[in-house]
Amino acid sequence: MAWSSKDQESNSTFEAPKPGVYWACCYSVIDLGKRLRAGYMGAPPKIQPRAMISFELPWNPTKEGKPMTMSAFYTITFYERAPLARHLASWAGRPLRQEETKNFDPRVLLGQWAQIVVGLSTTGKSVIENILNPGRSEEHTSELQSR
C-alpha cells in the first residue's frame, strides 16, 4: 500500500514561534542514524550521521495552552564552522575543547536551559538560527526555579 498526502487536507495544529529570542529547555536529543544527504555546491551525495535537538518554550504556549516546541537538525560533526559545533559553543559560552568533541555525550544537553534565536528559512518556516548561553546568574536561576 502506498502512502499519499495529495488527497488529504492538512490537519496540522503545530504552531511555530515567530522570529525572536526565546527561553527554552532542551527536552530531547535524538541520534537519527546515518542519512544520505545531498552534496554541497554540486558535490555528490554522501551518507552522514544526523541528530535532532528539541526545545520546549514553556513561557510561549500554543492556542491549546501547551508549550511551543522547536527542533533543529544537525550533521554530527565538530568542525568549528559546522552548525552543531557553532551552536554548542555558543550555548556553552565558550569554544568546545578538543577532548569534549572526541567523545561527546549528548545526554548532557537534556534539561539544560538556553536562549534560542528563531528566524525564518527561505521557505518562510521558523528555524533555530542560534542557541545562546542563558548566563548563570543567581537571579536568573532563582527566577527559573520559581516558575
Side-chain angles (χ1 to χ4, degrees):
M1 178 173 158
W3 292 3
S4 174
S5 64
K6 293 178 186 172
D7 300 330
Q8 300 172 357
E9 270 188 43
S10 175
N11 292 329
S12 175
T13 59
F14 179 77
E15 295 176 49
K18 293 179 171 72
V21 179
Y22 298 89
W23 284 103
C25 184
C26 178
Y27 76 92
S28 176
V29 179
I30 300 173
D31 184 329
L32 300 171
K34 294 186 177 180
R35 302 279 187 228
L36 183 63
R37 300 271 299 162
Y40 180 71
M41 301 282 294
K46 58 183 171 180
I47 296 175
Q48 297 178 315
R50 300 281 290 166
M52 179 177 75
I53 301 175
S54 299
F55 294 89
E56 183 176 80
L57 289 65
W59 297 292
N60 299 89
T62 63
K63 292 175 187 166
E64 297 172 346
K66 296 178 183 177
M68 286 188 177
T69 60
M70 285 286 302
S71 297
F73 294 86
Y74 298 97
T75 297
I76 302 172
T77 179
F78 292 100
Y79 171 64
E80 67 185 31
R81 291 178 55 191
L84 177 62
R86 285 187 296 114
H87 286 182
L88 291 177
S90 177
W91 193 356
R94 61 173 172 73
L96 297 176
R97 294 185 295 268
Q98 190 172 11
E99 59 270 11
E100 290 175 306
T101 64
K102 287 193 188 264
N103 198 19
F104 184 77
D105 183 357
R107 294 176 293 182
V108 301
L109 303 176
L110 295 172
Q112 296 297 315
W113 285 92
Q115 288 185 302
I116 60 171
V117 179
V118 176
L120 293 177
S121 70
T122 55
T123 60
K125 294 185 179 187
S126 293
V127 295
I128 295 175
E129 291 184 342
N130 202 358
I131 303 171
L132 306 175
N133 184 305
R136 298 285 179 227
S137 72
E138 187 85 22
E139 178 183 320
H140 169 68
T141 304
S142 62
E143 177 189 338
L144 293 176
Q145 291 171 346
S146 69
R147 290 189 180 201

